[in-house]
Coordinates of all heavy atoms in Angstrom, one line a residue:
M1 N -10.6 -7.1 -3.8 CA -9.6 -8.1 -3.4 C -8.5 -7.5 -2.5 O -8.1 -6.4 -2.7 CB -8.9 -8.7 -4.7 CG -7.8 -9.6 -4.6 SD -8.5 -11.2 -5.3 CE -7.7 -12.3 -4.2
N2 N -8.4 -8.1 -1.5 CA -7.3 -7.7 -0.5 C -5.9 -8.0 -0.9 O -5.6 -9.0 -1.6 CB -7.5 -8.3 0.9 CG -8.8 -7.9 1.5 OD1 -9.5 -7.0 1.2 ND2 -9.2 -8.8 2.4
G3 N -5.0 -7.0 -0.7 CA -3.7 -7.2 -1.2 C -2.7 -6.3 -0.4 O -3.0 -5.3 0.1
V4 N -1.4 -6.8 -0.2 CA -0.4 -6.0 0.3 C 0.9 -6.3 -0.4 O 1.1 -7.5 -0.6 CB -0.3 -6.4 2.0 CG1 0.0 -7.8 2.2 CG2 0.9 -5.3 2.5
S5 N 1.7 -5.3 -0.7 CA 2.9 -5.5 -1.3 C 3.8 -4.4 -0.9 O 3.4 -3.4 -0.4 CB 2.7 -5.4 -2.9 OG 2.3 -4.0 -3.3
C6 N 5.1 -4.5 -1.2 CA 6.0 -3.5 -0.7 C 7.0 -3.3 -1.9 O 7.5 -4.3 -2.5 CB 6.8 -4.0 0.5 SG 8.0 -2.8 1.1
E7 N 7.3 -2.1 -2.2 CA 8.4 -1.7 -3.1 C 9.3 -0.7 -2.6 O 9.1 0.0 -1.8 CB 7.7 -1.3 -4.5 CG 7.0 0.0 -4.2 CD 6.3 0.5 -5.5 OE1 5.2 0.0 -5.9 OE2 7.0 1.4 -6.3
S8 N 10.6 -0.8 -3.1 CA 11.7 0.1 -2.7 C 11.7 1.3 -3.7 O 11.6 1.2 -4.9 CB 12.9 -0.7 -2.7 OG 13.9 0.0 -2.2
L9 N 11.9 2.5 -3.0 CA 11.9 3.7 -3.7 C 13.1 4.6 -3.1 O 13.0 5.3 -2.2 CB 10.7 4.5 -3.5 CG 9.4 4.0 -4.0 CD1 8.2 4.9 -3.6 CD2 9.3 3.8 -5.4
D10 N 14.3 4.5 -3.8 CA 15.4 5.3 -3.4 C 15.7 5.3 -1.8 O 15.6 6.3 -1.2 CB 15.3 6.7 -3.9 CG 15.3 6.9 -5.4 OD1 16.0 5.9 -5.9 OD2 14.5 7.6 -5.8
G11 N 15.8 4.1 -1.3 CA 16.0 4.0 0.2 C 14.8 4.1 1.1 O 14.9 4.0 2.4
A12 N 13.7 4.3 0.5 CA 12.5 4.3 1.2 C 11.6 3.1 0.8 O 12.0 2.4 -0.2 CB 11.6 5.6 0.9
A13 N 10.6 2.7 1.6 CA 9.8 1.6 1.2 C 8.4 2.1 1.1 O 7.9 2.9 2.0 CB 9.9 0.5 2.2
L14 N 7.7 1.5 0.2 CA 6.2 2.0 0.0 C 5.4 0.7 0.0 O 5.5 -0.3 -0.7 CB 5.9 2.6 -1.3 CG 4.5 3.0 -1.5 CD1 4.0 4.1 -0.7 CD2 4.3 3.6 -3.0
V15 N 4.6 0.6 1.2 CA 3.8 -0.6 1.4 C 2.4 -0.3 0.7 O 1.8 0.8 1.1 CB 3.6 -0.9 2.8 CG1 2.6 -2.0 3.2 CG2 5.0 -1.2 3.5
R16 N 1.9 -1.0 -0.2 CA 0.7 -0.7 -0.8 C -0.4 -1.7 -0.3 O -0.1 -2.9 -0.4 CB 0.9 -0.9 -2.4 CG 1.7 0.1 -3.0 CD 1.7 -0.1 -4.6 NE 2.6 0.9 -5.2 CZ 2.3 2.0 -5.6 NH1 1.2 2.5 -5.4 NH2 3.3 2.7 -6.2
L17 N -1.5 -1.2 0.2 CA -2.6 -2.0 0.6 C -3.8 -1.8 -0.2 O -4.0 -0.6 -0.8 CB -3.0 -1.5 2.1 CG -2.0 -1.5 3.1 CD1 -2.5 -1.1 4.5 CD2 -1.4 -2.9 3.2
A18 N -4.7 -2.8 -0.3 CA -5.9 -2.7 -1.2 C -6.9 -3.6 -0.6 O -6.7 -4.6 0.0 CB -5.6 -3.2 -2.6
G19 N -8.1 -3.2 -0.7 CA -9.3 -4.0 -0.3 C -9.8 -3.5 1.2 O -9.7 -2.4 1.6
E20 N -10.1 -4.5 2.0 CA -10.6 -4.3 3.3 C -9.6 -4.7 4.3 O -9.3 -6.0 4.3 CB -12.0 -5.1 3.4 CG -13.1 -4.6 2.6 CD -14.3 -5.3 2.8 OE1 -14.4 -6.2 3.7 OE2 -15.4 -5.0 2.2
V21 N -9.1 -3.8 5.1 CA -8.0 -4.2 6.1 C -8.8 -4.4 7.3 O -9.2 -3.5 8.0 CB -7.0 -3.0 6.2 CG1 -6.0 -3.4 7.2 CG2 -6.4 -2.5 4.9
D22 N -8.9 -5.7 7.6 CA -9.6 -6.1 8.8 C -9.0 -7.2 9.6 O -7.8 -7.6 9.2 CB -11.1 -6.5 8.5 CG -11.2 -7.7 7.6 OD1 -10.1 -8.4 7.3 OD2 -12.3 -7.9 6.8
L23 N -9.6 -7.8 10.6 CA -8.9 -8.7 11.4 C -8.3 -10.0 10.6 O -7.4 -10.6 11.0 CB -9.8 -9.2 12.6 CG -9.2 -10.1 13.7 CD1 -8.1 -9.4 14.4 CD2 -10.2 -10.3 14.7
S24 N -9.0 -10.3 9.6 CA -8.6 -11.5 8.8 C -7.2 -11.4 8.3 O -6.6 -12.4 8.0 CB -9.7 -11.8 7.7 OG -9.6 -10.9 6.8
W25 N -6.7 -10.2 8.0 CA -5.3 -10.0 7.4 C -4.6 -9.0 7.9 O -3.5 -8.6 7.4 CB -5.4 -10.2 5.8 CG -5.9 -9.0 5.1 CD1 -7.2 -8.6 5.1 CD2 -5.2 -8.0 4.4 NE1 -7.4 -7.4 4.4 CE2 -6.2 -7.1 3.9 CE3 -3.9 -7.9 4.0 CZ2 -5.8 -6.0 3.1 CZ3 -3.6 -6.8 3.3 CH2 -4.5 -5.9 2.8
S26 N -5.0 -8.4 9.0 CA -4.3 -7.1 9.5 C -2.8 -7.5 10.1 O -2.0 -6.8 10.0 CB -5.1 -6.4 10.6 OG -5.4 -7.2 11.7
Q27 N -2.7 -8.9 10.6 CA -1.4 -9.2 11.0 C -0.3 -9.3 9.8 O 0.8 -9.1 10.0 CB -1.5 -10.8 11.7 CG -2.1 -10.6 13.1 CD -1.3 -9.7 14.0 OE1 -0.1 -9.8 14.0 NE2 -2.0 -8.9 14.7
E28 N -0.8 -9.7 8.7 CA 0.0 -9.6 7.5 C 0.4 -8.2 7.1 O 1.5 -8.0 6.8 CB -0.7 -10.3 6.3 CG 0.2 -10.2 5.1 CD -0.4 -11.0 3.8 OE1 -1.6 -11.6 4.0 OE2 0.0 -10.8 2.8
V29 N -0.5 -7.3 7.3 CA -0.1 -5.9 7.1 C 0.8 -5.4 8.1 O 1.8 -4.8 7.8 CB -1.5 -5.1 7.2 CG1 -1.2 -3.5 7.2 CG2 -2.4 -5.4 6.0
R30 N 0.7 -5.8 9.4 CA 1.6 -5.4 10.4 C 2.9 -5.9 10.0 O 4.0 -5.1 10.1 CB 1.0 -6.0 11.8 CG 1.9 -5.8 12.9 CD 1.4 -6.5 14.1 NE 2.3 -6.5 15.2 CZ 3.3 -7.4 15.3 NH1 3.5 -8.4 14.5 NH2 4.2 -7.3 16.2
R31 N 3.2 -7.3 9.8 CA 4.3 -7.9 9.5 C 5.1 -7.1 8.3 O 6.3 -6.9 8.4 CB 4.3 -9.3 9.1 CG 4.3 -10.2 10.3 CD 4.4 -11.6 9.9 NE 3.4 -12.1 8.9 CZ 2.2 -12.5 9.4 NH1 1.8 -12.7 10.5 NH2 1.3 -12.9 8.4
T32 N 4.2 -6.8 7.3 CA 4.9 -6.2 6.1 C 5.3 -4.7 6.4 O 6.5 -4.4 6.0 CB 3.8 -6.1 5.0 OG1 3.3 -7.5 4.7 CG2 4.5 -5.4 3.7
I33 N 4.6 -4.0 7.3 CA 5.1 -2.7 7.6 C 6.3 -2.8 8.5 O 7.4 -1.9 8.3 CB 3.9 -1.9 8.4 CG1 2.8 -1.5 7.4 CG2 4.4 -0.7 9.0 CD1 1.6 -1.0 8.1
L34 N 6.4 -3.7 9.5 CA 7.5 -3.8 10.4 C 8.8 -4.3 9.6 O 9.8 -3.8 9.9 CB 7.2 -4.7 11.6 CG 6.2 -4.2 12.5 CD1 5.8 -5.1 13.6 CD2 6.6 -2.7 13.1
D35 N 8.5 -5.2 8.7 CA 9.6 -5.7 7.9 C 10.1 -4.5 7.0 O 11.5 -4.4 6.8 CB 9.3 -6.8 6.9 CG 9.0 -8.2 7.6 OD1 9.4 -8.2 8.8 OD2 8.5 -9.0 7.1
A36 N 9.4 -3.7 6.5 CA 9.8 -2.6 5.7 C 10.6 -1.6 6.5 O 11.6 -1.0 6.0 CB 8.6 -1.8 5.0
L37 N 10.2 -1.4 7.8 CA 10.9 -0.5 8.7 C 12.5 -1.1 9.0 O 13.2 -0.2 9.5 CB 10.2 -0.3 10.0 CG 8.9 0.7 10.0 CD1 8.1 0.6 11.1 CD2 9.6 2.1 9.8
R38 N 12.7 -2.3 8.9 CA 13.8 -2.8 9.2 C 14.9 -2.4 8.1 O 16.0 -2.2 8.4 CB 13.8 -4.3 9.2 CG 13.2 -4.9 10.6 CD 13.3 -6.4 10.7 NE 12.5 -6.8 11.8 CZ 11.3 -7.3 11.7 NH1 10.8 -7.4 10.3 NH2 10.5 -7.7 12.6
G39 N 14.5 -2.1 6.9 CA 15.5 -1.9 5.9 C 15.4 -0.5 5.2 O 16.1 -0.3 4.2
A40 N 14.5 0.3 5.6 CA 14.3 1.6 4.9 C 14.4 2.8 5.9 O 14.0 2.7 7.0 CB 13.0 1.6 4.2
A41 N 15.0 3.9 5.4 CA 15.1 5.1 6.2 C 13.6 5.7 6.4 O 13.4 6.4 7.3 CB 16.0 6.2 5.5
A42 N 12.7 5.5 5.4 CA 11.3 6.0 5.5 C 10.4 5.0 4.8 O 10.8 4.1 4.1 CB 11.2 7.3 4.5
V43 N 9.2 5.0 5.5 CA 8.2 4.0 5.0 C 6.9 4.8 4.9 O 6.5 5.5 5.7 CB 8.0 2.9 6.1 CG1 6.7 2.0 5.7 CG2 9.1 2.0 6.1
G44 N 6.3 4.6 3.7 CA 4.9 5.0 3.3 C 4.0 3.9 3.3 O 4.5 2.8 2.7
V45 N 2.8 4.1 3.7 CA 1.7 3.1 3.5 C 0.6 3.7 2.6 O 0.0 4.7 2.9 CB 1.1 2.7 4.9 CG1 0.1 1.6 4.7 CG2 2.2 2.1 5.7
E46 N 0.7 3.2 1.4 CA -0.4 3.6 0.4 C -1.8 3.0 0.7 O -2.0 1.8 0.7 CB 0.2 3.1 -1.1 CG -0.8 3.2 -2.1 CD -1.1 4.7 -2.5 OE1 -0.2 5.5 -2.8 OE2 -2.3 5.1 -2.6
L47 N -2.7 3.9 0.8 CA -4.0 3.6 1.3 C -5.1 4.0 0.3 O -6.3 3.9 0.7 CB -4.4 4.1 2.7 CG -3.4 3.7 3.8 CD1 -3.5 4.8 5.0 CD2 -3.7 2.4 4.2
S48 N -4.8 4.4 -0.9 CA -5.8 4.9 -1.8 C -6.8 3.8 -2.3 O -7.9 4.1 -2.6 CB -5.2 5.6 -3.0 OG -4.4 4.6 -3.7
A49 N -6.4 2.5 -2.3 CA -7.2 1.5 -2.7 C -7.8 0.7 -1.5 O -8.3 -0.4 -1.8 CB -6.4 0.5 -3.6
V50 N -7.8 1.3 -0.4 CA -8.4 0.6 0.7 C -10.0 1.1 0.9 O -10.2 2.3 1.0 CB -7.7 0.9 2.0 CG1 -8.4 0.4 3.3 CG2 -6.3 0.3 2.0
S51 N -10.8 0.1 0.9 CA -12.2 0.5 0.9 C -12.8 0.4 2.3 O -13.8 1.0 2.6 CB -12.9 -0.5 0.1 OG -12.8 -1.8 0.4
Y52 N -12.0 -0.1 3.3 CA -12.5 -0.3 4.7 C -11.3 -0.7 5.5 O -10.4 -1.4 5.1 CB -13.5 -1.5 4.7 CG -13.9 -1.8 6.2 CD1 -14.9 -1.1 6.8 CD2 -13.2 -2.9 6.8 CE1 -15.3 -1.5 8.1 CE2 -13.6 -3.2 8.1 CZ -14.6 -2.6 8.8 OH -15.0 -2.9 10.0
I53 N -11.3 -0.1 6.6 CA -10.3 -0.3 7.7 C -11.0 -0.4 9.0 O -11.7 0.5 9.4 CB -9.1 0.6 7.6 CG1 -7.9 0.1 8.5 CG2 -9.6 2.0 8.1 CD1 -6.6 0.9 8.2
D54 N -10.6 -1.5 9.8 CA -11.1 -1.7 11.2 C -10.0 -1.3 12.2 O -8.9 -0.9 11.9 CB -11.9 -2.9 11.4 CG -10.8 -4.1 11.5 OD1 -9.7 -3.9 11.5 OD2 -11.4 -5.3 11.7
S55 N -10.3 -1.6 13.4 CA -9.5 -1.1 14.6 C -8.2 -2.0 14.4 O -7.1 -1.4 14.8 CB -10.2 -1.3 16.0 OG -10.6 -2.7 16.1
S56 N -8.3 -3.2 13.9 CA -6.9 -3.9 13.8 C -6.1 -3.4 12.8 O -4.9 -3.5 13.0 CB -7.2 -5.5 13.6 OG -7.9 -5.7 12.4
G57 N -6.7 -2.9 11.8 CA -5.8 -2.3 10.7 C -5.2 -1.0 11.2 O -4.1 -0.7 11.0
I58 N -6.1 -0.2 11.9 CA -5.5 1.1 12.5 C -4.4 0.8 13.5 O -3.3 1.4 13.5 CB -6.7 1.8 13.2 CG1 -7.7 2.3 12.1 CG2 -6.2 3.0 14.0 CD1 -7.2 3.3 11.1
A59 N -4.5 -0.4 14.3 CA -3.6 -0.8 15.2 C -2.2 -1.1 14.5 O -1.1 -0.7 15.1 CB -4.0 -1.9 16.0
A60 N -2.3 -1.7 13.4 CA -1.1 -2.1 12.6 C -0.4 -0.7 12.2 O 0.9 -0.6 12.2 CB -1.4 -2.9 11.4
L61 N -1.2 0.2 11.7 CA -0.6 1.5 11.4 C 0.1 2.2 12.5 O 1.2 2.8 12.4 CB -1.7 2.3 10.8 CG -2.3 1.9 9.4 CD1 -3.4 2.8 9.0 CD2 -1.3 1.7 8.3
V62 N -0.6 2.2 13.7 CA -0.2 2.9 14.9 C 1.1 2.2 15.3 O 2.1 2.9 15.7 CB -1.2 2.9 15.9 CG1 -0.6 3.3 17.3 CG2 -2.3 3.9 15.6
E63 N 1.1 0.9 15.3 CA 2.4 0.1 15.7 C 3.6 0.6 14.8 O 4.8 0.8 15.1 CB 2.2 -1.3 15.7 CG 3.4 -2.0 16.2 CD 3.3 -3.6 16.4 OE1 2.2 -4.1 16.2 OE2 4.2 -4.2 16.7
G64 N 3.2 0.7 13.5 CA 4.4 1.0 12.4 C 4.8 2.5 12.8 O 6.0 2.7 12.9
F65 N 3.9 3.4 13.0 CA 4.2 4.7 13.3 C 5.0 4.8 14.7 O 6.1 5.5 14.7 CB 2.9 5.6 13.6 CG 3.2 7.0 14.1 CD1 3.6 8.0 13.4 CD2 3.0 7.2 15.4 CE1 3.7 9.3 13.9 CE2 3.0 8.5 16.0 CZ 3.5 9.5 15.2
Q66 N 4.7 4.1 15.7 CA 5.4 4.1 17.0 C 6.9 3.6 16.7 O 7.9 4.0 17.3 CB 4.7 3.4 18.0 CG 3.5 4.1 18.4 CD 2.7 3.4 19.4 OE1 2.5 2.1 19.4 NE2 1.9 4.1 20.2
T67 N 6.9 2.5 16.0 CA 8.3 1.7 15.8 C 9.2 2.6 15.0 O 10.3 2.9 15.3 CB 8.0 0.4 15.0 OG1 7.2 -0.4 15.8 CG2 9.4 -0.2 14.8
A68 N 8.6 3.3 13.9 CA 9.5 4.3 13.2 C 9.9 5.4 14.1 O 11.1 5.8 14.0 CB 8.5 4.9 12.0
R69 N 9.0 6.0 15.0 CA 9.4 7.1 15.7 C 10.6 6.7 16.7 O 11.6 7.3 16.8 CB 8.3 7.5 16.5 CG 8.6 8.8 17.4 CD 7.3 9.4 18.0 NE 6.8 8.4 19.0 CZ 5.7 8.5 19.5 NH1 4.9 9.4 19.3 NH2 5.2 7.5 20.3
V70 N 10.5 5.5 17.2 CA 11.6 4.9 18.1 C 13.0 4.9 17.4 O 14.0 5.1 17.9 CB 11.2 3.7 18.9 CG1 12.4 3.0 19.4 CG2 10.1 3.8 19.8
Q71 N 12.8 4.4 16.1 CA 14.0 4.2 15.3 C 14.6 5.4 14.6 O 15.4 5.4 14.0 CB 13.6 3.1 14.3 CG 13.4 1.7 14.8 CD 13.0 0.7 13.8 OE1 12.8 1.1 12.6 NE2 12.9 -0.6 14.1
G72 N 13.8 6.5 14.7 CA 14.2 7.8 14.1 C 13.9 7.8 12.6 O 14.6 8.4 11.8
R73 N 12.9 7.0 12.2 CA 12.6 6.9 10.7 C 11.3 7.6 10.4 O 10.5 7.8 11.3 CB 12.4 5.5 10.3 CG 13.7 4.6 10.5 CD 13.6 3.2 10.3 NE 14.6 2.4 10.8 CZ 15.6 2.0 10.1 NH1 15.8 2.4 8.8 NH2 16.6 1.3 10.7
R74 N 11.1 8.0 9.2 CA 10.0 8.7 8.8 C 8.9 7.6 8.4 O 9.2 6.6 7.7 CB 10.3 9.5 7.5 CG 9.1 10.4 6.9 CD 9.7 11.4 5.8 NE 8.6 12.0 5.1 CZ 7.9 13.0 5.4 NH1 8.0 13.4 6.7 NH2 7.0 13.6 4.7
F75 N 7.7 8.0 8.8 CA 6.5 7.1 8.5 C 5.4 8.0 8.1 O 4.9 8.8 8.8 CB 6.1 6.3 9.8 CG 5.1 5.3 9.5 CD1 5.4 4.0 9.1 CD2 3.8 5.5 9.9 CE1 4.6 3.1 9.0 CE2 2.8 4.6 9.7 CZ 3.2 3.4 9.4
V76 N 4.8 7.7 6.9 CA 3.7 8.6 6.4 C 2.6 7.6 5.7 O 3.0 6.5 5.3 CB 4.2 9.5 5.3 CG1 5.4 10.4 5.8 CG2 4.8 8.7 4.0
L77 N 1.5 8.1 5.8 CA 0.3 7.4 5.1 C 0.1 8.3 3.8 O 0.0 9.5 3.8 CB -1.0 7.7 6.0 CG -0.8 6.9 7.3 CD1 -2.2 7.0 8.1 CD2 -0.3 5.6 7.4
V78 N 0.0 7.5 2.7 CA 0.0 8.0 1.4 C -1.4 7.9 0.8 O -1.9 6.7 0.7 CB 1.0 7.3 0.5 CG1 1.0 7.9 -1.0 CG2 2.5 7.4 1.1
G79 N -2.0 8.9 0.3 CA -3.2 8.9 -0.4 C -4.4 8.3 0.2 O -5.0 7.4 -0.4
A80 N -4.7 8.5 1.4 CA -5.7 7.8 2.3 C -7.0 8.0 1.6 O -7.3 9.1 1.3 CB -5.7 8.4 3.7
S81 N -7.6 6.9 1.3 CA -8.9 6.9 0.6 C -10.0 7.6 1.7 O -9.8 7.7 2.8 CB -9.4 5.4 0.3 OG -9.6 4.8 1.6
P82 N -11.1 8.1 1.1 CA -12.1 8.6 2.0 C -12.6 7.8 3.1 O -12.7 8.3 4.3 CB -13.3 8.9 1.0 CG -12.6 9.2 -0.4 CD -11.4 8.2 -0.4
P83 N -12.8 6.5 3.0 CA -13.1 5.7 4.1 C -12.0 5.6 5.1 O -12.3 5.7 6.4 CB -13.4 4.2 3.6 CG -13.7 4.5 2.0 CD -12.9 5.6 1.7
V84 N -10.8 5.6 4.7 CA -9.7 5.5 5.7 C -9.6 6.9 6.4 O -9.5 6.8 7.6 CB -8.4 5.1 5.0 CG1 -7.2 5.3 5.9 CG2 -8.4 3.7 4.5
R85 N -9.6 8.0 5.6 CA -9.5 9.3 6.1 C -10.6 9.6 7.1 O -10.4 10.2 8.2 CB -9.7 10.3 5.0 CG -9.2 11.7 5.6 CD -9.2 12.7 4.4 NE -7.9 12.5 3.7 CZ -6.8 13.1 3.9 NH1 -6.6 13.9 5.1 NH2 -5.6 12.8 3.3
A86 N -11.9 9.1 6.8 CA -13.0 9.2 7.8 C -12.7 8.5 9.2 O -12.9 9.1 10.3 CB -14.2 8.6 7.2
V87 N -12.1 7.3 9.1 CA -11.8 6.7 10.4 C -10.6 7.3 11.1 O -10.7 7.6 12.4 CB -11.3 5.2 10.1 CG1 -10.7 4.5 11.3 CG2 -12.5 4.4 9.7
L88 N -9.7 7.8 10.3 CA -8.5 8.5 11.0 C -9.1 9.7 11.7 O -8.6 10.2 12.8 CB -7.5 8.9 10.0 CG -6.6 7.8 9.4 CD1 -5.7 8.2 8.3 CD2 -5.9 6.9 10.5
E89 N -10.0 10.5 10.9 CA -10.5 11.8 11.6 C -11.3 11.4 12.8 O -11.2 12.2 13.8 CB -11.3 12.6 10.6 CG -10.3 13.1 9.4 CD -11.1 13.8 8.3 OE1 -12.4 13.7 8.3 OE2 -10.5 14.3 7.3
L90 N -12.2 10.5 12.8 CA -12.9 10.1 13.9 C -12.2 9.7 15.1 O -12.4 10.2 16.2 CB -13.9 8.9 13.6 CG -14.8 8.5 14.6 CD1 -15.9 9.5 14.8 CD2 -15.5 7.1 14.2
A91 N -11.0 9.0 14.9 CA -10.1 8.8 16.1 C -9.0 9.9 16.3 O -8.2 9.8 17.2 CB -9.5 7.5 15.7
R92 N -9.2 11.0 15.5 CA -8.2 12.1 15.6 C -6.8 11.7 15.3 O -5.9 12.4 15.8 CB -8.4 12.8 17.0 CG -9.8 13.4 17.2 CD -10.0 14.2 18.3 NE -11.3 14.7 18.5 CZ -11.7 15.7 19.0 NH1 -10.7 16.5 19.6 NH2 -12.8 16.2 19.0
L93 N -6.6 10.6 14.6 CA -5.4 10.2 14.2 C -4.8 11.0 13.1 O -3.6 10.9 12.7 CB -5.4 8.6 13.9 CG -5.5 7.8 15.2 CD1 -5.7 6.3 14.8 CD2 -4.4 8.0 16.1
D94 N -5.6 11.7 12.3 CA -5.2 12.4 11.3 C -4.3 13.6 11.8 O -3.5 14.2 11.1 CB -6.5 13.1 10.4 CG -7.3 14.0 11.3 OD1 -7.6 13.6 12.6 OD2 -7.9 15.0 10.8
R95 N -4.4 13.9 13.1 CA -3.5 14.8 13.7 C -2.1 14.2 14.3 O -1.3 14.9 14.7 CB -4.2 15.5 15.0 CG -5.4 16.2 14.5 CD -6.1 16.7 15.7 NE -7.4 17.2 15.2 CZ -8.4 17.8 16.0 NH1 -8.1 17.9 17.4 NH2 -9.4 18.2 15.6
V96 N -2.0 12.8 14.2 CA -0.9 12.2 14.6 C -0.1 11.7 13.5 O 1.2 12.0 13.5 CB -1.4 10.9 15.5 CG1 -0.1 10.1 15.9 CG2 -2.1 11.3 16.8
F97 N -0.7 11.0 12.5 CA 0.1 10.7 11.3 C 0.4 11.7 10.4 O -0.3 12.8 10.3 CB -0.7 9.6 10.5 CG -0.9 8.4 11.1 CD1 -2.1 7.9 11.7 CD2 0.1 7.4 11.2 CE1 -2.4 6.7 12.4 CE2 0.0 6.1 11.8 CZ -1.3 5.8 12.4
V98 N 1.4 11.6 9.7 CA 1.8 12.4 8.6 C 1.1 11.9 7.3 O 1.2 10.8 6.9 CB 3.3 12.6 8.2 CG1 3.6 13.4 7.1 CG2 4.1 13.0 9.3
L99 N 0.2 12.7 6.8 CA -0.6 12.4 5.7 C -0.1 13.0 4.4 O -0.1 14.3 4.4 CB -2.2 12.7 5.8 CG -2.8 12.0 7.1 CD1 -4.0 12.6 7.4 CD2 -2.8 10.5 6.9
V100 N 0.3 12.3 3.3 CA 0.6 12.9 2.2 C -0.2 12.4 1.0 O -0.9 11.4 1.1 CB 2.1 12.7 1.8 CG1 3.0 13.3 2.9 CG2 2.4 11.2 1.6
E101 N -0.3 13.2 -0.1 CA -1.2 12.8 -1.2 C -0.6 11.7 -2.1 O -1.4 10.9 -2.7 CB -1.6 14.1 -2.1 CG -2.5 15.0 -1.3 CD -3.7 14.4 -0.8 OE1 -4.5 13.7 -1.6 OE2 -4.0 14.5 0.4
D102 N 0.6 11.8 -2.3 CA 1.3 10.8 -3.2 C 2.7 10.4 -2.7 O 3.3 11.0 -1.8 CB 1.3 11.2 -4.6 CG 2.1 12.6 -4.8 OD1 3.2 12.7 -4.3 OD2 1.5 13.5 -5.4
A103 N 3.3 9.4 -3.3 CA 4.6 8.9 -2.8 C 5.7 10.0 -2.9 O 6.7 9.8 -2.3 CB 5.0 7.6 -3.6
S104 N 5.5 11.1 -3.7 CA 6.6 12.0 -3.8 C 6.7 12.7 -2.5 O 7.9 13.2 -2.1 CB 6.2 13.0 -4.8 OG 5.1 13.8 -4.4
G105 N 5.8 12.6 -1.5 CA 5.9 13.2 -0.1 C 6.5 12.2 0.8 O 6.7 12.6 2.0
L106 N 6.9 11.0 0.4 CA 7.4 10.0 1.3 C 8.8 10.5 1.9 O 9.2 10.3 3.0 CB 7.6 8.8 0.5 CG 8.2 7.5 1.3 CD1 7.5 7.2 2.6 CD2 8.2 6.3 0.4
C107 N 9.7 11.1 1.0 CA 11.0 11.4 1.4 C 11.1 12.9 1.9 O 12.1 13.3 2.4 CB 12.0 11.1 0.3 SG 12.1 9.3 -0.2
G108 N 10.1 13.7 1.7 CA 10.1 15.1 2.1 C 9.7 15.4 3.5 O 9.8 16.2 4.1

């Protein structure tokens, strides 16, 4: 089941994604990430429950990363699942994004 939620963690925001991040709901993912960046010093996107991500999902993550960089905010990908990690590695985005294993790496 696809899902997106956002929770606050001591001034940071954690956006949790689950299911297949594809064109059918990547705009909702994008909106949630950009909304989180408006109110938090740091944003993490939890990807451990994502079973599939396509180019539209990757584009939402890249836009979040670029927006955070312009605003001087921290942006990390948390617990990327093997399918997500494979796509990031294929696109060499694992060298662009900060990847952390769990939410404790969000603020550090």
Side-chain angles (χ1 to χ4, degrees):
M1 178 117 211
N2 294 341
V4 59
S5 65
C6 186
E7 66 183 81
S8 186
L9 301 171
D10 295 326
L14 183 63
V15 176
R16 294 184 187 272
L17 304 180
E20 297 183 357
V21 182
D22 58 20
L23 190 57
S24 68
W25 70 289
S26 60
Q27 284 302 312
E28 182 179 347
V29 169
R30 177 185 168 277
R31 268 192 309 275
T32 303
I33 291 171
L34 294 178
D35 286 349
L37 280 165
R38 284 189 192 97
V43 171
V45 181
E46 167 70 51
L47 299 163
S48 62
V50 174
S51 58
Y52 171 83
I53 190 165
D54 72 2
S55 60
S56 66
I58 294 295
L61 297 177
V62 169
E63 185 174 354
F65 170 78
Q66 291 173 331
T67 300
R69 187 174 61 192
V70 166
Q71 296 175 350
R73 298 174 194 268
R74 183 167 168 79
F75 186 86
V76 301
L77 302 182
V78 180
S81 66
V84 171
R85 191 172 284 274
V87 171
L88 292 173
E89 288 172 0
L90 183 65
R92 297 186 181 207
L93 290 171
D94 59 323
R95 300 173 187 183
V96 174
F97 288 109
V98 175
L99 302 169
V100 297
E101 291 304 312
D102 57 50
S104 67
L106 179 57
C107 296

